[in-house]
């Protein structure tokens, strides 16, 4: 037996033993996800047991080095763990922007001291992080952000406002882009700061969306005193950290498949629209639209697989992540349009048990944000034009 | 298997590109057209392709071929799409070789597969009407003592004008649109009773319309089982659609790259027109659609080699998407080249014209979209 096969057996046995049955069911409510943090609470004993077993192994962050609280697994081992978890339908034991976003940036740009301090806390789910990038006047044009960090002795004094800070009201720390200088190119005066949300002068306010309640917040900084030790990378070097992190985020959004596992379009169409004597969908226009979507959907999945294979073969993904983000989010929006057409008026119920509290209608509304957050579709097309096709700037 | 080509397939592709660039480029295509060459292909080029092993690429070594994967054949077809090279690679080396390998008996394989590998041309004569409909077979094969007599018509036979043999789908029982009662025959192109008329299409290539008048064939010319020709024919047509999708992928990429180059050199309003966002976003959209096509084509080609049960769906997905994207990219190509794109001197229009023929062959967008939905039971 090869080492990898042995590892696969070991993982299988561990998961069988430590992942309770209730943690192998699809999540039903938002609070089924465990996000950790200073105030994190477990919804059930099973959830606690499953999280603790995985955290003890470092498998909340399988590929991070063990000295930073990770599992120290190789790429192949991590792949096996992922596969074995998927096979058993194991839930993700820890949801965390610290793992998905900040961690990779810290590993690349953090000092040894910073890595030792923050990474183990992230892996162990002790600190919950949120992201402070966008501002009311800095959306697609993120580099024009204005939240200021003024150097005073060993501290920065931070003033300004962030927006779209997901779960800021429940987070312990925020990683934020701040302006430390207004000289030169606007990208050059940006610094990447870690800020404790418990500090005096930090406040948050939730944002309601067209879909209703949302995890998004506005976050305000009023003379917040942040130690200079919390600067990641160099002063004025925050833009590179942010770009690196956004690439990660784009890949993730592009790859995100339907978390609510809606029934396939053609199945719901048959249920709601019906089929004719020839076995074909009774609405030929929908039949065409659905077939087109399903071909594009399959093509997109094959493309994700192909790009992974190309990466394995040593071709970096680079700006192609913009293509994945653009195409994946546009497909998702289109899918919900088709779901609405399939169900007709029944899709539009907003409240009440009959309409699952407006689940479909609200999810439909929410998808409109897919092509805005994490860089709009238009920004992705700009990136493809400039970086892949190398078309000139005006 | 990863969704990438192997090193060996990559080398084949590169050498194909080099060869076609030197010997079978658009200049050759224009020459054949402008000299009104009767057959619109170069026998010299084809015999070189055969010598290089392309004609027998997918034919098993036991029958004189190279025994290569279909993924490799896909790379050749992609390259001939880029260079707009007319040759019997699709008709004979892919389609007929596949069908004979699927349906033929030992003797037929030994005889005809070896012939194809050597560069002899065998063409499939299956279409009778203007829209792809392989089960619509009116050409009748009447039992006639120890053989059959064929009477009827076949249209748009690729390389039919130069083929040595035809594989003919014929009605031996059931009604004209039934999948049952179809039989396949291999017939020499000079058999008595066959009349051929050349047809030149928009892509400046020639194919043949065939008329069969009491053409005698023997029992030995029956390919596969009597009345059971549809199954191997349909599988071959799935593979044909994947082959033409690979060619379309070459057409798409080449016309896209030429368009992008043009956007980088053409100036209007004192600016390079490629700096205009109105054009950049359309170019980026095409880039995305092309990435999807690449994945569908490689997946479908691998599906042939793995004998995937998904082959019919993979084939229809690839052909539908590549047809749609070829339409988009060639239309945008002509539009972005502007007035010069409308002239015969500029090559971009040649891609538009070949794309329209390739889009229609072996089932157009509508056909494959409908078929995909049907295969998925809706």
């Amino acid at each position: 037996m090869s080492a990898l096969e042995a590892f696969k057996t070991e993982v299988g046995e561990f998961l069988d033993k430590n992942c309770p049955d209730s943690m192998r069911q699809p999540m039903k409510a938002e609070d089924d996800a465990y996000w950790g943090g200073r105030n994190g609470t477990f919804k059930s004993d099973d959830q606690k047991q499953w999280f603790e077993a995985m955290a003890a192994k470092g498998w909340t962050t399988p590929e991070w080095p063990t000295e930073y609280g990770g599992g120290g697994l190789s790429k192949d081992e991590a792949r096996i763990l992922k596969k074995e978890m998927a096979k058993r339908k194991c839930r993700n034991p820890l949801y965390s922007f610290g793992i998905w976003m900040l961690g990779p940036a810290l590993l690349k740009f953090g000092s040894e001291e910073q890595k030792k301090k923050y990474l183990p806390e992230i892996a162990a789910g002790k600190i919950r992080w949120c992201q402070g990038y966008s501002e009311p006047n800095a959306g697609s044009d993120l580099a024009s952000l204005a939240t200021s960090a003024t150097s005073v002795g060993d501290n920065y004094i931070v003033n300004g406002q962030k927006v779209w800070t997901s779960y800021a009201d429940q987070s312990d720390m925020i990683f934020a882009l701040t302006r430390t200088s207004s000289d030169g190119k606007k990208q050059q005066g940006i610094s990447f700061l870690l800020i404790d949300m418990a500090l005096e002068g930090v406040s948050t306010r939730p944002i309601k969306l067209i879909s209703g309640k949302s995890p998004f917040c506005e976050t305000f900084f009023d003379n917040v005193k942040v130690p200079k030790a919390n600067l990641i990378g160099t002063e004025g070097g925050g833009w590179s950290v942010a770009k690196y992190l956004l690439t990660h985020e784009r890949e993730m959004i592009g790859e995100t498949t339907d978390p609510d596992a809606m029934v396939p379009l053609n199945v719901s169409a048959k249920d709601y629209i019906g089929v004719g004597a020839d076995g074909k969908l009774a609405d030929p226009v929908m039949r065409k639209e659905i077939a087109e979507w399903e071909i594009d959907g399959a093509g997109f999945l094959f493309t994700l697989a192909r790009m992974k294979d190309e990466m394995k073969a040593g071709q970096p993904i680079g700006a192609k992540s913009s293509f994945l983000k653009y195409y994946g989010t546009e497909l998702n929006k289109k899918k919900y349009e088709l779901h609405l057409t399939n169900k007709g008026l029944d899709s539009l119920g907003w409240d009440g048990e009959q309409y699952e509290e407006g689940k479909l209608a609200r999810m439909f509304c929410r998808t409109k944000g897919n092509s805005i957050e994490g860089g709009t579709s238009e920004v992705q097309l700009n990136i493809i034009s400039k970086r892949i096709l190398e078309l000139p700037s005006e | 298997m990863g969704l990438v080509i192997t090193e060996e397939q990559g080398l084949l592709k590169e050498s194909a590109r080099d060869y076609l660039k030197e010997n079978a480029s658009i200049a050759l295509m224009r020459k054949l057209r402008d000299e009104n060459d009767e057959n619109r292909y170069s026998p010299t080029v084809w015999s070189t392709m055969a010598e290089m092993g392309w004609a027998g690429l997918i034919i098993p070594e036991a029958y004189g071929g190279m025994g290569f994967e279909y993924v490799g054949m896909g790379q050749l077809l992609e390259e001939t799409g880029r260079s707009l090279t007319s040759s019997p690679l699709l008709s004979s080396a892919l389609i007929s070789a596949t069908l004979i390998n699927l349906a033929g008996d030992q003797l037929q394989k030994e005889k005809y597969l070896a012939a194809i590998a050597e560069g002899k041309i065998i063409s499939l004569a299956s279409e009778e009407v203007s829209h792809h409909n392989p089960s619509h077979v009116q050409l009748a094969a009447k039992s006639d003592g120890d053989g059959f007599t064929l009477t009827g018509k076949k249209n748009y036979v690729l390389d039919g004008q130069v083929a040595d043999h035809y594989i003919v789908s014929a009605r031996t029982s059931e009604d004209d649109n039934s999948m049952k009662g179809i039989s396949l025959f291999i017939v020499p192109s000079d058999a008595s009773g066959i009349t051929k008329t050349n047809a030149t299409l928009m892509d400046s290539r020639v194919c043949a319309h065939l008329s069969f008048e009491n053409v005698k064939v023997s029992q030995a010319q029956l390919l596969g089982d009597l009345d059971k020709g549809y199954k191997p024919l349909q599988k071959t047509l799935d593979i044909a659609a994947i082959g033409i999708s690979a060619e379309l992928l070459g057409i798409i990429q080449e016309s896209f790259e030429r368009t992008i180059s043009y956007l980088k050199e053409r100036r209007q309003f004192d600016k390079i027109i490629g700096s205009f966002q109105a054009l950049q976003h359309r170019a980026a959209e095409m880039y995305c659609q092309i990435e999807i096509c690449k994945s569908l084509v490689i997946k479908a080609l691998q599906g042939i080699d793995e004998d995937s049960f998904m082959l019919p769906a993979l084939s229809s997905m690839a052909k539908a998407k590549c047809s749609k994207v070829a339409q988009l990219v060639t239309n945008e190509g002509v539009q972005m080249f502007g007035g010069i794109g409308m002239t015969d001197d500029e090559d971009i229009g040649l891609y538009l014209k070949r794309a329209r023929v390739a889009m229609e062959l072996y089932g157009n967008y509508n056909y494959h979209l409908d078929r995909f939905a049907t295969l998925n039971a809706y």
Side-chain angles (χ1 to χ4, degrees):
Chain A
M1 197 159 47
S2 78
L4 283 180
E5 281 166 25
F7 180 73
K8 186 178 159 192
T9 314
E10 182 198 324
V11 168
E13 284 167 3
F14 174 84
L15 294 175
D16 288 338
K17 184 161 166 258
N18 289 287
C19 188
D21 281 344
S22 68
M23 292 296 109
R24 301 185 196 191
Q25 311 298 324
M27 298 202 297
K28 289 191 192 75
E30 231 177 89
D31 64 351
D32 279 338
Y34 179 64
W35 286 85
R38 290 174 193 148
N39 305 312
T41 51
F42 294 101
K43 196 181 177 184
S44 67
D45 290 343
D46 281 355
Q47 194 186 46
K48 180 167 190 264
Q49 181 201 324
W50 170 228
F51 165 75
E52 284 173 354
M54 288 294 277
K57 281 265 192 194
W59 286 358
T60 50
T61 51
E63 284 181 65
W64 291 9
T66 47
E67 68 258 42
Y68 306 133
L73 301 189
S74 67
K75 272 205 162 37
D76 286 335
E77 288 170 334
R79 207 172 296 134
I80 288 171
L81 174 61
K82 209 172 159 185
K83 265 195 187 160
E84 293 299 306
M85 283 175 69
K87 217 196 279 176
R88 291 168 178 76
K89 302 197 170 72
C90 301
R91 287 186 189 170
N92 184 350
L94 178 62
Y95 284 71
S96 163
F97 294 139
I99 295 174
W100 302 328
M101 297 175 177
L102 178 60
L106 278 179
L107 281 166
K108 191 170 166 73
F109 296 97
S111 69
E112 190 54 34
E113 210 183 332
Q114 288 168 332
K115 288 186 211 175
K116 285 234 165 74
K117 179 172 160 66
Y118 295 110
L119 291 172
E121 285 179 346
I122 292 171
K126 284 183 183 157
I127 297 292
R128 183 166 178 179
W129 288 87
C130 62
Q131 169 179 273
Y133 275 21
S134 301
E135 297 179 6
N137 290 316
S140 288
D141 181 16
L142 184 61
S144 65
L145 59 93
T147 295
S148 63
T150 314
S151 171
V152 178
D154 291 339
N155 296 299
Y156 290 109
I157 305 300
V158 178
N159 279 291
Q161 179 191 349
K162 291 290 172 185
V163 72
W164 307 119
T165 46
S166 303
Y167 300 109
D169 52 347
Q170 297 168 53
S171 295
D172 307 311
M173 302 273 293
I174 185 168
F175 47 96
L177 292 178
T178 58
R179 181 156 299 287
T180 41
S181 162
S182 307
D183 300 337
K185 261 182 82 180
K186 58 188 178 183
Q187 283 85 354
Q188 284 165 0
I190 293 171
S191 299
F192 193 95
L193 282 187
L194 310 182
I195 305 173
D196 197 315
M197 299 290 283
L199 288 173
E200 204 184 318
V202 181
S203 59
T204 65
R205 189 163 68 197
I207 299 172
K208 191 179 173 191
L209 296 184
I210 53 174
S211 49
K213 225 182 114 196
S214 88
F216 292 118
C217 296
E218 295 173 287
T219 298
F220 304 90
F221 302 95
D222 181 15
N223 285 318
V224 180
K225 208 160 131 190
V226 181
K228 283 194 172 165
N230 289 17
L231 174 74
I232 304 299
T234 56
E235 188 177 290
W239 190 244
S240 325
V241 186
K243 270 201 306 189
Y244 177 76
L245 214 147
L246 275 176
T247 311
H248 259 266
E249 187 184 350
R250 246 164 235 155
E251 279 169 48
M252 224 174 62
I253 295 175
E255 275 194 53
T256 305
T257 43
D258 198 352
D260 288 83
M262 297 281 295
V263 285
L265 282 169
N266 75 66
V267 175
S268 85
K270 277 194 278 192
D271 284 351
Y272 288 96
I273 297 170
V275 289
D278 55 1
K280 295 182 179 182
L281 267 186
D283 178 346
V285 179
M286 270 313 272
R287 185 170 179 265
K288 169 183 179 285
E289 297 260 313
I290 291 173
E292 284 177 334
W293 190 92
E294 291 189 341
I295 291 173
D296 284 345
F300 183 64
L301 290 180
F302 296 157
T303 305
L304 285 175
R306 176 166 66 85
M307 290 193 173
K308 275 191 186 137
D309 292 334
E310 286 173 359
M311 280 201 289
K312 266 187 245 167
Q315 301 173 39
I317 189 157
K320 285 182 193 163
S321 64
S322 285
F323 149 67
L324 296 178
K325 202 276 172 182
Y326 166 68
Y327 208 87
T329 55
E330 294 296 334
L331 263 182
N332 201 41
K333 288 198 299 182
K334 175 86 185 162
K335 180 170 71 179
Y336 279 86
E337 293 287 355
L338 293 173
H339 273 304
L340 248 55
T341 315
N342 266 349
K343 290 182 83 167
L345 287 169
D346 282 344
S347 68
L348 301 174
W350 195 252
D351 285 310
E353 220 170 297
Q354 181 191 354
Y355 298 111
E356 296 178 87
E357 305 303 331
K359 185 174 160 194
L360 176 57
R362 287 165 193 270
M363 276 164 65
F364 162 81
C365 288
R366 182 62 187 83
T367 60
K368 297 305 169 197
N370 296 163
S371 50
I372 301 170
E373 58 211 336
T376 59
S377 283
E378 290 71 20
V379 166
Q380 307 312 329
L381 293 174
N382 284 344
I383 294 173
I384 294 167
S385 306
K386 296 197 168 70
R387 290 194 40 209
I388 298 178
L389 304 178
E390 298 178 330
L391 290 169
S393 300
E394 224 178 315
Chain B
M1 198 186 324
L3 284 171
V4 283
I5 57 172
T6 63
E7 200 182 333
E8 196 183 13
Q9 290 156 357
L11 288 171
L12 178 69
K13 183 184 185 124
E14 259 175 56
S15 69
R17 187 177 298 196
D18 292 345
Y19 170 75
L20 293 167
K21 206 171 180 179
E22 280 298 307
N23 303 283
S25 63
I26 291 179
L28 173 68
M29 181 242 158
R30 285 182 179 276
K31 184 167 177 285
L32 292 167
R33 182 192 70 172
D34 297 342
E35 291 174 357
N36 207 13
D37 180 279
E38 198 184 355
N39 298 319
R40 299 290 169 89
Y41 92 110
S42 157
T44 322
V45 166
W46 178 236
S47 64
T48 312
M49 287 181 177
E51 277 163 32
M52 292 190 295
W54 296 9
L57 197 79
I58 53 139
I59 292 172
E61 283 168 288
Y63 303 115
M66 308 283 284
F68 230 72
E69 304 89 354
Y70 278 84
V71 175
M73 179 58 101
Q75 306 317 305
L76 295 184
L77 288 164
E78 191 181 316
E79 291 307 319
T80 58
R82 278 185 179 271
S83 57
L84 293 178
T85 308
S86 163
S87 83
L89 190 65
L90 180 79
S91 60
S92 190
L94 175 72
I95 298 175
S96 295
T98 296
L99 186 48
I100 292 164
N101 202 28
L102 281 174
D105 60 30
Q106 189 65 25
L107 275 176
Q108 289 168 330
K109 288 190 198 180
E110 279 170 12
K111 183 173 172 190
Y112 297 113
L113 289 180
I116 290 177
E118 281 170 15
K120 290 270 186 284
I121 299 167
I122 302 183
S123 292
L124 174 63
S126 59
E127 306 280 7
E128 296 189 2
V129 288
S130 56
H131 291 78
H132 182 61
N133 188 353
S135 64
H136 173 79
V137 177
Q138 277 187 320
L139 185 142
K142 292 256 154 58
S143 184
D144 168 22
D146 55 349
F148 299 85
T149 308
L150 309 184
T151 301
K153 290 189 188 318
K154 290 289 173 185
N155 287 327
Y156 302 106
V157 178
L158 298 186
D159 302 305
Q161 77 282 12
V162 287
D164 302 289
H165 286 80
Y166 302 122
I167 303 174
V168 183
S169 60
R171 178 63 59 193
T172 38
S173 67
E174 307 282 337
D175 65 62
D176 287 352
N177 288 300
S178 176
M179 293 177 196
K180 292 178 191 160
I182 294 171
S183 305
L184 305 169
F185 296 93
I186 300 196
V187 189
S189 58
D190 59 1
S192 156
I194 298 180
T195 321
K196 54 181 180 183
T197 318
N198 285 3
T200 311
L201 302 186
M202 185 160 72
D203 59 356
S204 305
R205 296 188 196 184
V206 165
C207 59
H209 298 320
L210 305 179
S211 173
F212 293 75
E213 275 288 329
N214 293 317
V215 177
K216 302 264 182 223
V217 293
S218 70
Q219 193 73 36
Q221 285 168 265
L222 177 66
L223 186 70
D225 296 330
L226 186 69
D227 286 340
K228 296 199 171 120
Y230 187 75
K231 200 180 161 189
L233 175 65
Q234 180 57 65
K235 183 164 182 179
T236 300
L237 291 170
D238 282 336
I239 292 171
I242 295 169
I244 198 85
S245 298
E247 188 193 324
L248 277 167
L249 181 60
I251 292 171
I252 289 168
Q253 292 179 95
E254 183 70 24
S255 35
F256 180 65
E257 287 161 20
R258 285 167 182 250
T259 304
I260 295 298
S261 302
Y262 188 70
L263 292 183
K264 290 176 185 173
E265 65 187 45
R266 169 77 172 167
R267 296 184 74 93
Q268 287 288 275
F269 310 105
D270 299 323
K271 281 176 188 138
I272 298 282
I273 62 170
S275 69
F276 299 138
Q277 204 177 39
L279 298 182
Q280 288 184 345
H281 282 196
R282 278 156 61 189
E285 174 67 35
M286 286 192 269
Y287 167 84
C288 296
Q289 298 295 349
I290 294 169
E291 288 301 305
I292 301 293
C293 289
K294 285 183 191 169
S295 310
L296 287 168
V297 168
I298 181 95
K299 187 80 182 173
L301 286 167
Q302 288 183 355
I304 309 175
D305 289 322
E306 292 162 2
D307 202 14
S308 165
F309 72 98
M310 293 266 292
L311 188 68
L314 290 171
S315 168
S316 284
M317 287 196 283
K319 184 70 206 293
K321 187 70 186 177
C322 289
S323 297
K324 195 76 176 170
V325 176
Q327 186 183 45
L328 172 76
V329 171
T330 55
N331 284 347
E332 287 284 64
V334 171
Q335 178 68 22
M336 291 182 183
F337 269 86
I340 196 83
M342 285 300 293
T343 64
D344 182 64
D345 276 348
E346 169 50 53
D347 290 338
I348 197 74
L350 303 176
Y351 287 91
L352 176 119
K353 293 197 273 186
R354 175 57 190 163
R356 288 312 178 279
V357 175
M359 283 157 63
E360 205 60 42
L361 291 175
Y362 305 109
N364 61 17
Y365 179 70
N366 295 13
Y367 175 90
H368 284 288
L369 202 66
D370 174 76
R371 183 155 176 269
F372 174 78
T374 303
L375 287 166
N376 285 285
Y378 65 92

